[in-house]
Amino acid sequence: MAVNELDTEQDLAPSKKKPLSEDEKRKKKIVPGSLMKAVVRSGGGDSGPSDGDQVVYHSTVRTLDGVLVESTRSDYGGNGTPIRHVLGKSKILLGLLEGIPTMLKGEVAMFKMKPQMHYGEDDCPISAPDSFPKEDELHFEIELIEFFKAKVVTDDLGVVKKVINEGQGWESPREPYEVKAWISAKTATGKLIMSHTKGEPYFFTFGKSEVPKGLEMGIGTMTREEKAVIYVTSQYLTQSPLMPVIEDYDEVQFEVELVHFIQVRDMLGDGRLIKRRIRDGKGDFPMDCPLHDSLLRVHYKGTIVNEENRVFYDTRVDNDGEPLEFCSGEGLVPEGFEMSVRLMLPGEIALVSCPPDYAYDKFPRPANVPDGAHIQWEIELLGFEMPKDWTGLDFNSIMNEAEKIRNTGNRLFKEGKYELAKAKYEKVLREFNHVNPQDDEEGKIFADTRNLLHLNVAACYLKVGECRKSIETCNKVLEAKPAHVKGLYRRGMAYMANGDFEEARNDFKMVRIFILYWI
């Protein structure tokens, strides 16, 4: 059995930009001869654990003359539960902080430690157990059972995850997603507590306390088809339908295979408008969703929830089998319908439960849908086309496209859909940031159109009661053209609505002067 003094001469000098960690500061206090290592049984592999690894080990402490001080092993009076630490995260004795990274998996080593390497260290971050001989030089026999890269789920290390098989994609379940998973649970000593690995996977709704809190937190870091072990300590072991009775466990190890989860979105945050993805689409969420105004093609079936799910419309039956085609952002379908479709992927099928105020109470109601009806739509997004890219278009083509969008905004304004109208006007204004007129005539057309759009936006703000924003938008026109009559008039109306009567009177007075001048 070879005995070696551990090489404590490490390059711990901090870079100019990165200060020393607390563990690195502690290591700088190590003096030669204070920590000795003897390999009792060799381990396997090419390297030892490093920062970010969870280490699992048994520890037995004796005095130099062999008197047992403490042990995790049941043979020596311990509870048989190995110790878990995450290097760089856990509070750990200085001798082990320095010594464990020198070990290989399966290795058994004896560390001879001066007091300053265990509980005798100045400002030791761990309190010594009662009657522990912290002033004595001691032997620590350590068996490194395993180590692996750990996903630290909670800062207090109460929930830690070990990935066995990587999953697919990037999305993880969260409230209120619906989850299917194979789950088994063991104590830290390997005793099986429960197993749900046959028949149908365990089904639960995320956020409903249907599995222990720590297990749910760990599953919330997993992706589809991932397999992992989730280590959960007692403070995160809450009662649930999965484990109705929680015994006095210090830790439970859950082996989980995430079979599938259904994306469930609470669109309004109050539980009234719920979208459930019942068939996955193609692409990455949300990058490949029609988030922007687009031409959409969907099949849908609408049912009335309070009438035993009576179908009131089905595109496959009532539309000669043809899908519904509509442009989003134009108020052509109920608001709850459009909000949900914007978060779908091509090929996805979703089930949307919608309250009356986001269905047909504020939208032209089909004759067979009663007032105040709660609606359920089954929607399949067949595909969508993004709006035309203005890049490369000549000036006249750009202005024609702008006029089409402005006209749509005008229609929405007349229908009282002021937010949708404003969005159309603002879309053109954003595109105008990249338009460069080539001569004076184009410049005048461009400036006049831009001013008109700003005033349209100001009108929308005024309609929804945001008078200050209406005034600020009018100012963008009047800063460039102080004698703009329509700009003065609209700002005067906004001042009046805001109670600024003197400012309104001044603007209306200027309008009268300019009109008389032109006459």
Side-chain angles (χ1 to χ4, degrees):
M1 181 171 69
V3 179
N4 297 300
E5 180 181 323
L6 289 184
D7 182 8
T8 60
E9 297 295 325
Q10 301 180 33
D11 183 11
L12 296 177
S15 65
K16 292 182 180 179
K17 296 183 179 179
K18 186 177 180 182
L20 288 174
S21 69
E22 290 303 313
D23 284 347
E24 288 170 331
K25 290 177 183 178
R26 293 174 67 201
K27 286 183 178 182
K28 285 181 70 73
K29 299 187 297 184
I30 298 176
V31 298
S34 60
L35 178 65
M36 306 288 285
K37 174 185 176 183
V39 176
V40 178
R41 185 184 73 200
S42 298
D46 300 322
S47 60
S50 58
D51 274 4
D53 286 349
Q54 176 163 274
V55 293
V56 183
Y57 62 94
H58 272 300
S59 171
T60 300
V61 183
R62 295 183 175 89
T63 64
L64 297 190
D65 55 6
V67 177
L68 180 69
V69 176
E70 65 175 15
S71 179
T72 59
R73 296 182 180 278
S74 55
D75 293 349
Y76 299 122
N79 61 12
T81 303
I83 298 170
R84 283 195 305 107
H85 281 135
V86 178
L87 297 180
K89 298 284 186 180
S90 299
K91 294 178 180 180
I92 186 171
L93 295 177
L94 181 55
L96 299 181
L97 180 67
E98 179 74 1
I100 287 179
T102 70
M103 300 179 69
L104 300 175
K105 182 177 179 179
E107 179 180 326
V108 178
M110 185 74 75
F111 293 97
K112 183 180 180 183
M113 300 186 194
K114 299 283 189 183
Q116 64 267 31
M117 298 304 293
H118 53 79
Y119 292 103
E121 176 193 3
D122 292 338
D123 301 318
C124 181
I126 310 170
S127 299
D130 293 341
S131 72
F132 191 93
K134 66 177 186 178
E135 304 301 328
D136 293 350
E137 190 171 358
L138 299 170
H139 281 148
F140 283 71
E141 182 182 280
I142 305 297
E143 179 186 5
L144 183 57
I145 300 170
E146 64 172 336
F147 62 89
F148 48 84
K149 283 296 175 191
K151 167 66 178 178
V152 176
V153 181
T154 60
D155 291 339
D156 61 1
L157 307 179
V159 183
V160 176
K161 183 183 78 169
K162 170 188 177 182
V163 176
I164 299 174
N165 294 326
E166 296 286 348
Q168 303 295 321
W170 63 270
E171 191 177 13
S172 297
R174 60 182 182 274
E175 187 176 349
Y177 284 23
E178 295 172 350
V179 180
K180 291 182 178 181
W182 300 116
I183 304 173
S184 62
K186 296 179 180 179
T187 65
T189 57
K191 177 186 175 183
L192 184 66
I193 301 171
M194 57 77 59
S195 179
H196 202 109
T197 57
K198 294 181 180 179
E200 290 293 322
Y202 186 74
F203 174 87
F204 69 96
T205 300
F206 211 89
K208 297 292 187 181
S209 301
E210 294 173 359
V211 297
K213 178 181 177 181
L215 173 60
E216 184 173 80
M217 294 173 74
I219 291 175
T221 69
M222 298 177 69
T223 57
R224 281 184 177 86
E225 300 180 21
E226 179 180 332
K227 190 173 183 180
V229 176
I230 300 171
Y231 299 81
V232 180
T233 53
S234 57
Q235 67 267 36
Y236 293 98
L237 288 173
T238 54
Q239 289 184 338
S240 67
L242 178 68
M243 296 179 67
V245 178
I246 299 293
E247 296 184 18
D248 189 21
Y249 300 121
D250 291 331
E251 174 184 283
V252 172
Q253 299 175 9
F254 293 95
E255 187 168 308
V256 180
E257 182 177 351
L258 186 53
V259 178
H260 185 65
F261 57 83
I262 294 174
Q263 185 196 69
V264 181
R265 302 192 71 85
D266 186 344
M267 305 295 294
L268 302 174
D270 58 8
R272 296 191 306 132
L273 177 57
I274 301 293
K275 170 185 173 289
R276 297 178 67 250
R277 181 194 291 169
I278 57 177
R279 188 181 78 187
D280 291 342
K282 296 179 181 178
D284 294 323
F285 180 87
M287 292 77 74
D288 295 320
C289 296
L291 297 172
H292 304 287
D293 292 350
S294 307
L295 178 63
L296 301 162
R297 295 175 62 250
V298 303
H299 269 305
Y300 79 94
K301 179 169 65 175
T303 59
I304 300 173
V305 175
N306 295 336
E307 297 183 12
E308 298 182 351
N309 294 328
R310 173 172 64 84
V311 177
F312 65 86
Y313 192 84
D314 187 340
T315 53
R316 290 184 170 88
V317 176
D318 302 301
N319 200 37
D320 298 325
E322 293 297 317
L324 171 68
E325 190 172 282
F326 69 97
C327 290
S328 56
E330 298 188 5
L332 300 174
V333 295
E335 187 175 357
F337 189 102
E338 181 165 323
M339 288 174 65
S340 301
V341 174
R342 283 179 180 267
L343 292 179
M344 294 178 67
L345 293 166
E348 178 181 335
I349 297 178
L351 204 60
V352 177
S353 300
C354 185
D357 53 328
Y358 280 80
Y360 296 107
D361 277 11
K362 297 181 180 179
F363 190 83
R365 184 182 301 108
N368 54 350
V369 175
D371 185 23
H374 287 259
I375 301 300
Q376 181 173 277
W377 292 296
E378 182 181 296
I379 306 171
E380 179 181 2
L381 176 60
L382 302 175
F384 66 92
E385 296 177 16
M386 296 291 287
K388 183 181 292 187
D389 186 354
W390 290 8
T391 305
L393 295 181
D394 60 33
F395 182 77
N396 287 333
S397 298
I398 288 173
M399 299 310 292
N400 287 336
E401 291 297 320
E403 185 66 9
K404 291 177 186 177
I405 298 173
R406 190 180 73 84
N407 286 336
T408 300
N410 292 345
R411 173 181 63 79
L412 292 167
F413 186 90
K414 291 176 183 177
E415 294 173 357
K417 299 171 181 175
Y418 304 119
E419 289 292 347
L420 290 177
K422 182 167 70 70
K424 292 297 181 183
Y425 302 139
E426 289 176 335
K427 171 182 170 59
V428 180
L429 287 168
R430 286 195 301 272
E431 294 289 349
F432 271 13
N433 290 329
H434 309 290
V435 177
N436 297 302
Q438 299 301 306
D439 55 42
D440 290 344
E441 182 181 355
E442 289 185 359
K444 184 178 185 309
I445 295 171
F446 180 75
D448 288 346
T449 304
R450 184 171 54 190
N451 287 339
L452 184 58
L453 287 162
H454 279 308
L455 294 177
N456 287 349
V457 170
C460 292
Y461 277 131
L462 189 57
K463 285 292 187 180
V464 297
E466 297 193 47
C467 301
R468 270 296 144 204
K469 289 185 178 180
S470 182
I471 293 165
E472 292 167 3
T473 307
C474 290
N475 287 340
K476 294 178 182 179
V477 175
L478 294 169
E479 286 168 4
K481 191 176 180 180
H484 198 290
V485 173
K486 195 170 183 179
L488 287 165
Y489 175 77
R490 188 144 292 163
R491 187 175 69 176
M493 294 297 291
Y495 274 135
M496 190 165 64
N498 201 48
D500 301 324
F501 301 116
E502 185 63 27
E503 288 85 351
R505 189 174 71 85
N506 291 336
D507 276 351
F508 293 146
K509 182 178 178 180
M510 292 299 295
V511 169
R512 183 171 179 273
I513 290 172
F514 287 130
I515 290 175
L516 290 174
Y517 175 79
W518 288 331
I519 292 175

